[in-house]
Amino acid sequence: MPDIRPTVGSGALVLNATYEPLCVVSVRRAAILVLSAKAVCVADGEGILHSARDALPVPSVVRLTRYVRVPYRTHVGLSRRAIFARDGWRCAYCRGPAETIDHVFPRSRGGRHAWENVVAACARCNHTKGDKTPAELGWRLHSAPAAPKGAAWRVLGHRAPDPRWADWLDLREPEAA
Ligand SMILES: [Zn+2]
């Protein structure tokens, strides 16, 4: 195994041979995939990794040289980070930068903590909304919240996506329900 000292806390996006996002691994693991010719680097990160024999740029995105079959996962874990990512980091009510999570139908009134009832919201809208429903305030949601679908979601919910991964994750516009 090469002696690789990656940047602390960094990760690399792994794509299938078809460019479909698969998972996020440590930079060390991604470098090993590249060094063993199991993957090719398609986007460099910052810095250089040194092994006993080689030096290679820190991989930010790697693509497997052979297609791997992955079971289709229907359930995407509900996490704060994944909600923000689904909603494009925008408030569902005013489209301003989101800082909080709002339950559309308030939890205090029996609203569920589920993809269909949570949205990203700015602090101001969240505070104004309190324990009212959007209908009671005459507010409209930008789009009906729903569980996210698609390959990109395999890598979300666990960590903030690196901006260098944007081309492969296509997260800019959350899917309308
Ligand atoms: Zn707002």
Side-chain angles (χ1 to χ4, degrees):
M1 265 206 186
D3 171 30
I4 292 166
R5 278 154 290 172
T7 321
V8 175
S10 56
L13 175 66
V14 179
L15 305 174
N16 213 335
T18 52
Y19 288 91
E20 185 189 34
L22 281 180
C23 58
V24 177
V25 298
S26 69
V27 162
R28 179 191 163 84
R29 175 85 189 122
I32 291 166
L33 288 171
V34 171
L35 290 172
S36 59
K38 291 197 172 92
V40 290
C41 187
V42 291
D44 292 341
E46 270 166 51
I48 302 287
L49 293 173
H50 296 279
S51 72
R53 288 179 306 161
D54 304 287
L56 79 159
V58 169
S60 179
V61 182
V62 300
R63 182 171 66 89
L64 297 178
T65 47
R66 288 180 63 180
Y67 179 77
V68 295
R69 193 173 286 279
V70 279
Y72 178 65
R73 204 171 96 187
T74 51
H75 178 76
V76 178
L78 183 61
S79 73
R80 191 179 164 83
R81 214 186 273 292
I83 295 162
F84 282 130
R86 181 199 63 180
D87 295 353
W89 289 272
R90 297 265 149 212
C91 174
Y93 305 109
C94 75
R95 307 304 289 151
E99 306 140 296
T100 64
I101 300 297
D102 179 59
H103 290 85
V104 178
F105 195 86
R107 290 209 92 178
S108 59
R109 293 163 61 180
R112 289 192 314 131
H113 186 64
W115 277 114
E116 295 76 13
N117 193 47
V118 292
V119 290
C122 73
R124 200 168 59 119
C125 287
N126 203 334
H127 181 77
T128 306
K129 187 166 166 290
D131 61 357
K132 297 182 197 74
T133 67
E136 286 167 352
L137 290 158
W139 289 6
R140 288 189 58 188
L141 283 162
H142 178 71
S143 59
K149 295 182 187 76
W153 293 94
R154 286 196 199 107
V155 305
L156 293 168
H158 306 289
R159 52 173 301 126
D162 188 308
R164 282 177 288 244
W165 304 346
D167 288 349
W168 291 277
L169 294 180
D170 192 21
L171 299 172
R172 287 177 200 91
E173 279 302 314
E175 240 179 284

